Amino acid sequence: MMNINEQEISETPQKNDSEVVLSVNGVSKRFCRDLKKSLFYGVQDIGSEVLGLREKGDKLRSKEFWALDNVSFQLRRGEALGLVGKNGSGKSTLLRVIAGLIKPDMGFVEVNGRVAPLIALGAGFNPILTGRENIYANMSILGLSKKEIDERFDEVIEFAEIGDAIDSPVQSYSSGMAARLGFASAIHTEPDILLIDEVLAVGDSRFQAKCFRKLHQLRQNNTAFILVSHNSHTILTVCESGIYLKKGQMLGVGETALVMRKYEEDLFLDGDETTLSSNSSLIKPQLENDNFEITAIFFRNINGEVVESPTSGEPVSLCIECRISQIIENVGFTLDIKGLAEGGETILLMNSFSDKQSLSFSPGEHEIQVEMPYLGLKLGRYTMDVYVKKDALFHLDSVESFRFIVNAKESVSRGCFYQPKIWKTVSR
Ligand SMILES: Nc1ncnc2c1ncn2[C@@H]1O[C@H](COP(=O)(O)OP(=O)(O)OP(=O)(O)O)[C@@H](O)[C@H]1O
Ligand SMILES: [Mg+2]
């Protein structure tokens, strides 16, 4: 893929570049939320087209919205492109436009070679025909002659591994079996471009691994593919470049890791990258003890500077500022951190009494610092409750629902927390 960003996107394809197998140029597609209006617009559009009066499709009519908004990119031979975005962001619509199943309202798509779409489970299959019959029907739609299909038929069946079910009607197949048959017949057409819309997700893990091995092989034989997946790990390991769609617009394009980071920030932080922590937001059920008051909660980085949001995997100190009016001994803190995305479950519970840390205070202002050599929380939004007690018994003060955001430098790994690590090989 060309290393392009939004500013550099070329409106005109580079026709002399024989490596480009797909060129999507300023593609926009509008849909209508209202069924009656949608039918009316459909008839209106056909009528205008027949009469040669078709208006430029750059305006939205009532109840219409852009499912794709000025999308442009190029795909080169053997390139693996990951397409990500939240539900309803336009990924499947883009694949449908590329496959020629729907027409864009603006822009155009140029394809240089054979496209094999694996867009919806069972799409392209006739449910009442057997698997065997469907392989013939499907591969001939993708442009293969009967002789070519005959030659490849055994390989397709061998790859799909669905046993005797090959002679049963496809309507009796499980989703995984339909995915196996779809993938096997699509790859054996030796396409120049393979479009894969989440269909592999329904296959069992052994079959998925086999598909990814096959995709790797196909790439070496110059097949390019676009892979839609909600699994960041898959996109990061399989694709070298990525596109992030949000409400039909291309918000990120280029190197996979960068695109995924932008997407995950939006996904986990709801696009809100500003900190939620602020002294004024401290929620205190009541001022419980005049002698001890939490006045602020914030973070410091390794240089002691106050940071709005700590970064996953980096050293950080969680700081609690308090005002104390008399000598208090044997004070303990409980910090209960919950993930907002995890449905408010406790992710980290820290208690200074269990850490055998008993703190004593003289009157004045103090800052308690919880030094963490690295922050294990991953990118996301969190809320923290803080409880302060004397002798683990008497309540001094508390703060509820202190909200904060954890940033990340790298793309999020799967799993619940960030684990710093170094991989080594040791010769023996
Ligand atoms: N035929 C249609 N008529 C009207 N609206 C449609 C039609 N097809 C898709 N849409 C709308 O277009 C938007 C984009 O849909 P699309 O299926 O491309 O999303 P997606 O990114 O593939 O989502 P998901 O991750 O859930 O598969 C959605 O708001 C969807 O409701
Ligand atoms: Mg989709």
Side-chain angles (χ1 to χ4, degrees):
M1 164 156 221
M2 282 176 78
N3 191 14
I4 47 173
N5 59 32
E6 275 121 300
Q7 285 79 43
E8 289 168 339
I9 290 163
S10 158
E11 286 294 320
T12 48
Q14 296 167 329
K15 291 207 170 120
N16 53 355
D17 192 343
S18 60
E19 285 296 291
V20 174
V21 278
L22 170 72
S23 181
V24 174
N25 306 281
V27 163
S28 296
K29 177 74 197 166
R30 55 188 183 188
F31 283 128
C32 181
R33 291 263 176 238
D34 184 298
L35 182 61
K36 268 193 199 157
K37 279 209 161 74
S38 164
L39 292 173
F40 172 72
Y41 293 151
V43 174
Q44 195 182 39
D45 286 347
I46 293 171
S48 332
E49 199 157 311
V50 169
L51 298 171
L53 301 172
R54 186 147 191 197
E55 299 164 30
K56 262 178 75 187
D58 59 351
K59 300 238 162 36
L60 290 181
R61 295 165 287 193
S62 157
K63 297 265 164 113
E64 281 188 328
F65 66 97
W66 292 114
L68 289 176
D69 191 355
N70 196 19
V71 173
S72 301
F73 66 94
Q74 291 185 327
L75 186 72
R76 285 155 189 272
R77 252 172 234 297
E79 188 183 335
L81 174 74
L83 182 56
V84 294
K86 293 181 194 175
N87 293 133
S89 54
K91 305 178 297 292
S92 302
T93 307
L94 179 57
L95 294 195
R96 285 198 177 97
V97 171
I98 295 171
L101 299 172
I102 50 176
K103 254 174 83 175
D105 289 300
M106 286 199 294
F108 62 98
V109 172
E110 281 186 319
V111 176
N112 184 10
R114 174 184 290 152
V115 182
L118 270 168
I119 289 185
L121 263 185
F125 288 142
N126 184 331
I128 56 166
L129 298 183
T130 64
R132 190 181 292 274
E133 290 160 342
N134 265 300
I135 293 175
Y136 275 91
N138 199 271
M139 289 178 86
S140 59
I141 289 170
L142 293 177
L144 266 71
S145 66
K146 161 101 174 43
K147 185 167 166 283
E148 284 172 316
I149 304 173
D150 283 341
E151 282 163 9
R152 297 171 200 199
F153 190 78
D154 289 343
E155 276 177 56
V156 177
I157 292 190
E158 202 189 321
F159 191 93
E161 292 179 85
I162 53 170
D164 296 343
I166 196 71
D167 289 312
S168 311
V170 163
Q171 63 190 1
S172 66
Y173 283 19
S174 68
S175 16
M177 285 157 74
R180 280 164 175 259
L181 195 66
F183 189 79
S185 36
I187 55 167
H188 286 93
T189 59
E190 285 165 15
D192 296 289
I193 307 165
L194 192 56
L195 307 175
I196 312 165
D197 192 351
E198 295 183 283
V199 287
L200 297 184
V202 294
D204 56 49
S205 50
R206 201 180 66 84
F207 186 71
Q208 276 189 30
K210 184 171 157 182
C211 292
F212 288 121
R213 275 198 306 276
K214 187 71 191 176
L215 285 177
H216 181 70
Q217 237 176 44
L218 287 172
R219 279 189 68 187
Q220 289 175 330
N221 292 335
N222 269 338
T223 296
F225 60 84
I226 303 182
L227 177 69
V228 172
S229 175
H230 288 285
N231 183 330
S232 359
H233 179 70
T234 303
I235 298 278
L236 282 166
T237 46
V238 176
C239 304
E240 70 207 288
S241 52
I243 287 183
Y244 166 32
L245 279 185
K246 185 174 183 182
K247 293 186 181 159
Q249 291 182 339
M250 239 167 52
L251 284 204
V253 54
E255 203 198 316
T256 326
L258 296 175
V259 171
M260 287 309 290
R261 205 184 125 209
K262 170 90 188 107
Y263 168 52
E264 285 166 348
E265 272 174 5
D266 276 6
L267 192 66
F268 294 114
L269 307 181
D270 262 348
D272 176 8
E273 284 164 53
T274 58
T275 181
L276 295 169
S277 57
S278 101
N279 297 346
S280 56
S281 72
L282 293 190
I283 303 172
K284 297 184 154 209
Q286 70 218 48
L287 192 59
E288 300 166 40
N289 186 312
D290 290 347
N291 300 324
F292 192 108
E293 188 192 355
I294 298 174
T295 50
I297 300 178
F298 53 92
F299 295 93
R300 288 190 191 276
N301 65 15
I302 192 164
N303 302 321
E305 296 151 354
V306 175
V307 286
E308 283 196 297
S309 300
T311 304
S312 189
E314 293 199 346
V316 69
S317 293
L318 169 61
C319 307
I320 303 167
E321 202 179 78
C322 15
R323 192 178 301 125
I324 292 149
S325 58
Q326 66 173 58
I327 294 174
I328 311 180
E329 290 181 339
N330 200 22
V331 175
F333 287 76
T334 304
L335 311 177
D336 184 358
I337 299 178
K338 301 177 172 106
L340 287 175
E342 281 79 10
E345 274 186 50
T346 294
I347 288 180
L348 182 60
L349 190 74
M350 296 189 276
N351 183 295
S352 59
F353 282 121
S354 3
D355 289 343
K356 308 272 181 287
Q357 303 276 321
S358 143
L359 306 162
S360 296
F361 296 96
S362 52
E365 298 214 333
H366 297 267
E367 184 177 312
I368 297 101
Q369 298 185 342
V370 188
E371 258 181 41
M372 293 177 254
Y374 62 84
L375 182 65
L377 300 174
K378 63 176 195 176
L379 177 91
R381 291 161 161 256
Y382 297 88
T383 169
M384 177 170 70
D385 297 336
V386 179
Y387 303 99
V388 195
K389 288 188 179 179
K390 180 177 158 43
D391 304 328
L393 211 58
F394 303 105
H395 210 103
L396 292 175
D397 198 6
S398 57
V399 166
E400 285 178 0
S401 306
F402 170 79
R403 289 178 158 223
F404 64 96
I405 284 170
V406 173
N407 286 324
K409 287 224 166 115
E410 294 166 31
S411 174
V412 176
S413 58
R414 283 203 288 169
C416 301
F417 63 95
Y418 175 84
Q419 173 62 57
K421 62 217 158 292
I422 298 167
W423 293 81
K424 286 183 183 171
T425 48
V426 181
S427 307
R428 299 203 162 200

